[in-house]
Amino acid sequence: MCGIVGFSGVRPAAPVLLDGLKKLEYRGYDSAGIAIMGDAGISVNKVTGRIANLCEKTHDGADVPGFTGVGHTRWATHGAPTEENAHPHLSNDGRFAIVHNGIIENYIALREELIKDGFTFQSETDTEVIVHLLEKYYKGNVRDALIKTTNRLRGSYALGVICTEQPEKIFAVRESSPLIIGVGVEENYFASDVTALVAYTRNAIYMDDGEYAELTKDAVKVFDCTGSEIKKEVTRITWDVQAAEKGGYEHFMLKEIMEQPAAIKATIAPRLKDGNIFFEEFDISADELKKIRKIVITACGSAYYAGCSGKYALEKLCHIPVEVELASELRYSDPLIDKHTLLIVISQSGETADTIAAMKECKERGAKTLAIVNVVGSSIAKLADYTLYTWAGPEIAVATTKGFTTQLAVLYLLALSFAEKLECITEEEYTKYMGELHTLPRHIQQAIDMNSKIPKLAKKYHKSSSLFFIGRNTDYAVALEGALKMKEISYLHAEAYAAGELKHGTIALIEDHQPVVALCCNPSIMEKTLSNIVEVKARGAEVLALTFRNNQKILSTADDFLFIPNVDAVFSAAIEIIPLQLLAYYVAKENGCDIDKPKNLAKSVTVE
Ligand code: BG6
């Protein structure tokens, strides 16, 4: 996720663009740049790091005169965070500059075509193909060139463009990435969200997919994909800047919970092509896979629990033994790792000290390393032999949500890809699981929509002194993450137990009104968990069951319910965790906790 801004007016553009980018930094902050239309053509300034570096480089924009321009703050997806990869990107003829938020899924083929056409590339980004297509299709009309260009693109994009042939105009295009126009007085703007606009105007036009806008200092025109002008409603923005940064949500954590369907789609869609799974960053042959005797997954915190869930999918589909190890333990355990081990390292930040140390330990012992990280160019990404990115966008809340579910999405893709290569599953099974992957974003949205009662449930449970989370097999792995979410943000004591273990001691703790969250989403062991529910109820527990809507046996036994759509257990963890994230969030809200910044916790622990 990146932030883009555009300005056309009668006053200097650069300071307005820089100010807007500062408000969008939460959307991405590993590099930034602005392109300003000057008397001698387009002037581009780009930096790595925060917007402050760009302000310093341009003396808060004073060094870059001009009344029209575009700007960008980057969260790298394709290409490390370097100046060359930072936006804006220029066409070879210097006529166009472009900024982009989104992912171009077919950029590799387009890049090859454009290189054959004689275009030269300055960056590793997917974005740069767009500006060269613009040059290729420009015959005197920018809008025509934009329409021809975007007809070639597959993926998501919010584009900002300036062109030397129309120096007072800025162009914007929206497809599956947010883009809002700000209507000012003798100046007009566009931005990725209202955060960048509210300081200048509260009159906004929300662009829809497939729309093209052309803005000058005193005119705003919007066109459809045929080039016909359309009438758009002007909306009055009532949000303040802080609320706008959170997309209108009270906390980043709730915003990021709600972003999960889109984050999963951004992570999965570019890797599914014509019914196959395709990792542009990683290719391992069936022969190499056959030499792997075991997979070791190592991580910390929620990333570790993602590994616990991923283990079930990998073992069931690929029949390769999988061990999941806490990085802080693995690094000192004199691990039995060798060249026949595939080490999968999971980390949202890519900077967790224990995880880095464990990874180095295993590399020294000959393991092949595959990293699943969310931050492009992070330490773990640089250390790994292979890296698969979770394109979740920046995750601001300390307690991870979309980071966790996109890690699972990548693990599911890996499991199915390996299984197909090793011929461990039938054509029918492969088709079935591919269908489950395609519908994962929709099922996650359903899991959000099915649980509108959670704020009410939170009022019932928020004063509990402790909560038990129980489950078996795939449900147990999710229970671990569900309990951690509750502890992290609501500070209530919560523990996850393998449901079959209750009788070996833990059940001694069950007394009247003890809340027990029972996960019952795996049909193959549902009956067993049902008997555990009966056991704890017999000792006075209040049971909050997480299950399918039509699960009558559970519905007639438990006291309260969280629901998920009926899905196959192999990929259900990414869906089951949604109601538990929401439960933890609303309990924490009831307790007045600092949800985005819980006490004693850090977003990434870069020390031992
Ligand atoms: C903790 C975070 O500090 O580190 C957790 O609060 C996270 O959300 C854990 O799961 C591991 O961090 P990372 O960046 O390696 O996934």
Side-chain angles (χ1 to χ4, degrees):
M1 176 165 72
C2 303
I4 71 170
V5 289
F7 175 85
S8 178
V10 295
R11 57 181 166 140
V16 179
L17 294 174
L18 293 171
D19 181 51
L21 289 177
K22 283 178 200 161
K23 304 286 191 337
L24 296 180
E25 265 201 316
Y26 72 92
R27 298 178 62 86
Y29 38 74
D30 57 44
S31 50
I34 55 173
I36 306 292
M37 190 61 71
D39 296 336
I42 298 172
S43 158
V44 176
N45 282 279
K46 305 199 274 193
V47 294
T48 54
R50 311 294 295 236
I51 306 294
N53 300 348
L54 190 56
C55 294
E56 191 182 330
K57 180 176 183 180
T58 62
H59 292 97
D60 291 326
D63 295 359
V64 207
F67 307 111
T68 308
V70 291
H72 185 274
T73 185
R74 187 169 183 239
W75 179 266
T77 54
H78 294 72
T82 62
E83 253 189 66
E84 295 72 24
N85 290 332
H87 305 202
H89 291 289
L90 275 176
S91 55
N92 286 166
D93 63 7
R95 181 180 272 137
F96 293 100
I98 192 168
V99 290
H100 166 226
N101 172 36
I103 289 183
I104 304 304
E105 296 168 11
N106 60 330
Y107 84 98
I108 291 177
L110 290 171
R111 186 185 177 101
E112 287 161 6
E113 174 194 318
L114 289 160
I115 288 169
K116 282 203 191 87
D117 290 346
F119 291 92
T120 54
F121 282 75
Q122 313 305 319
S123 78
E124 310 157 285
T125 65
D126 54 335
T127 300
E128 199 180 346
V129 300
I130 306 172
V131 77
H132 297 316
L133 284 172
L134 264 178
E135 179 179 344
K136 176 174 179 171
Y137 292 124
Y138 181 70
K139 305 288 180 250
N141 181 309
V142 178
R143 186 165 68 243
D144 287 350
L146 268 172
I147 291 171
K148 286 192 179 77
T149 294
T150 48
N151 287 342
R152 299 290 313 278
L153 304 179
R154 197 174 70 234
S156 60
Y157 45 88
L159 303 179
V161 176
I162 54 175
C163 174
T164 54
E165 309 297 311
Q166 301 201 41
E168 293 179 8
K169 200 171 268 190
I170 52 177
F171 301 83
V173 190
R174 181 201 151 129
E175 182 58 48
S176 306
S177 284
L179 203 49
I180 295 121
I181 295 165
V183 183
V185 178
E186 287 202 307
E187 58 189 40
N188 291 301
Y189 331 75
F190 62 69
S192 300
D193 73 33
V194 290
T195 321
L197 299 175
V198 286
Y200 301 102
T201 178
R202 289 185 174 271
N203 298 318
I205 294 173
Y206 287 81
M207 289 181 72
D208 293 306
D209 286 351
E211 293 183 347
Y212 300 73
E214 298 182 8
L215 283 61
T216 60
K217 65 182 185 311
D218 45 24
V220 171
K221 291 187 176 173
V222 181
F223 305 86
D224 65 17
C225 58
T226 67
S228 309
E229 188 170 351
I230 52 180
K231 195 94 186 77
K232 294 289 284 183
E233 182 196 346
V234 178
T235 306
R236 185 80 181 145
I237 303 169
T238 54
W239 282 342
D240 64 25
V241 173
Q242 242 232 336
E245 234 181 41
K246 295 172 191 143
Y249 292 103
E250 191 176 348
H251 298 100
F252 276 111
M253 183 175 174
L254 187 58
K255 174 172 174 281
E256 287 155 8
I257 288 172
M258 299 304 174
E259 281 176 348
Q260 289 180 110
I264 295 276
K265 185 167 185 283
T267 300
I268 286 184
R271 293 162 166 148
L272 299 181
K273 283 181 182 61
D274 312 325
N276 295 310
I277 295 170
F278 167 74
F279 296 116
E280 77 189 66
E281 322 92 317
F282 165 60
D283 189 16
I284 190 165
S285 68
D287 288 345
E288 286 172 301
L289 270 176
K290 283 173 186 151
K291 290 179 193 144
I292 288 170
R293 294 198 189 120
K294 73 176 174 180
I295 293 173
V296 173
I297 299 176
T298 194
C300 300
S302 296
Y304 168 74
Y305 295 138
C308 294
S309 289
K311 165 188 167 77
Y312 291 102
L314 283 162
E315 287 190 336
K316 180 171 173 69
L317 299 185
C318 311
H319 310 156
I320 302 176
V322 177
E323 297 167 8
V324 191
E325 303 284 350
L326 283 169
S328 54
E329 289 292 306
L330 180 63
R331 65 185 292 190
Y332 297 116
S333 66
D334 191 13
L336 297 176
I337 301 264
D338 61 22
K339 63 181 178 175
H340 298 297
T341 308
L342 172 63
L343 181 80
I344 298 179
V345 183
I346 306 176
S347 175
Q348 189 284 133
S349 64
E351 301 300 343
T352 299
D354 283 325
T355 309
I356 293 170
M359 184 179 184
K360 286 177 177 172
E361 188 64 37
C362 296
K363 273 176 83 84
E364 278 164 23
R365 295 165 188 259
K368 196 173 285 302
T369 55
L370 166 60
I372 298 175
V373 295
N374 195 39
V375 180
V376 173
S378 56
S379 303
I380 289 174
K382 285 182 182 137
L383 261 176
D385 297 315
Y386 306 103
T387 297
L388 290 177
Y389 289 113
T390 53
W391 289 320
E395 190 174 59
I396 309 298
V398 165
T400 182
T401 50
K402 62 179 183 174
F404 176 79
T405 48
T406 51
Q407 286 160 3
L408 286 176
V410 173
L411 286 165
Y412 296 158
L413 284 166
L414 271 180
L416 197 47
S417 171
F418 286 2
E420 198 240 350
K421 283 191 162 106
L422 292 168
E423 296 172 341
C424 299
I425 56 173
T426 64
E427 191 62 37
E428 294 72 30
E429 286 170 322
Y430 183 76
T431 305
K432 180 184 99 170
Y433 289 124
M434 279 296 274
E436 294 276 342
L437 282 180
H438 273 291
T439 52
L440 198 51
R442 179 161 55 82
H443 282 144
I444 287 179
Q445 187 59 55
Q446 288 172 353
I448 291 172
D449 300 340
M450 289 170 131
N451 290 286
S452 53
K453 290 196 176 63
I454 287 181
K456 196 158 158 271
L457 282 172
K459 292 185 188 314
K460 176 175 178 182
Y461 291 109
H462 78 101
K463 286 196 173 5
S464 314
S465 57
S466 73
L467 294 101
F468 283 30
F469 287 72
I470 65 169
R472 291 172 181 257
N473 194 273
T474 50
D475 287 338
Y476 172 50
V478 178
L480 290 164
E481 170 61 8
L484 178 60
K485 281 282 136 332
M486 188 62 77
K487 284 181 276 193
E488 277 183 303
I489 62 171
S490 75
Y491 312 144
L492 295 189
H493 184 256
E495 280 313 314
Y497 296 94
E501 273 299 288
L502 282 169
K503 52 188 175 294
H504 301 297
T506 324
I507 202 160
L509 296 175
I510 302 292
E511 50 196 29
D512 272 358
H513 308 304
Q514 168 64 52
V516 174
V517 182
L519 284 73
C520 315
C521 304
N522 185 333
S524 67
I525 41 158
M526 188 84 72
E527 289 299 323
K528 302 295 177 193
T529 309
L530 179 58
S531 61
N532 296 128
I533 292 175
V534 172
E535 274 166 26
V536 296
K537 277 191 66 64
R539 289 158 178 80
E542 293 251 353
V543 175
L544 168 59
L546 168 58
T547 189
F548 310 122
R549 260 202 193 293
N550 58 353
N551 191 338
Q552 290 312 321
K553 283 186 181 171
I554 302 290
L555 294 177
S556 57
T557 312
D559 302 287
D560 294 303
F561 303 96
L562 302 170
F563 292 112
I564 65 165
N566 284 54
V567 289
D568 188 285
V570 173
F571 293 161
S572 66
I575 300 161
E576 290 182 59
I577 193 59
I578 302 299
L580 300 183
Q581 292 170 345
L582 290 166
L583 180 67
Y585 174 81
Y586 284 105
V587 167
K589 194 158 180 275
E590 282 298 320
N591 290 345
C593 299
D594 182 356
I595 291 172
D596 285 337
K597 296 186 177 62
K599 67 178 193 294
N600 308 336
L601 297 184
K603 183 60 188 167
S604 172
V605 180
T606 55
V607 293
E608 187 173 356

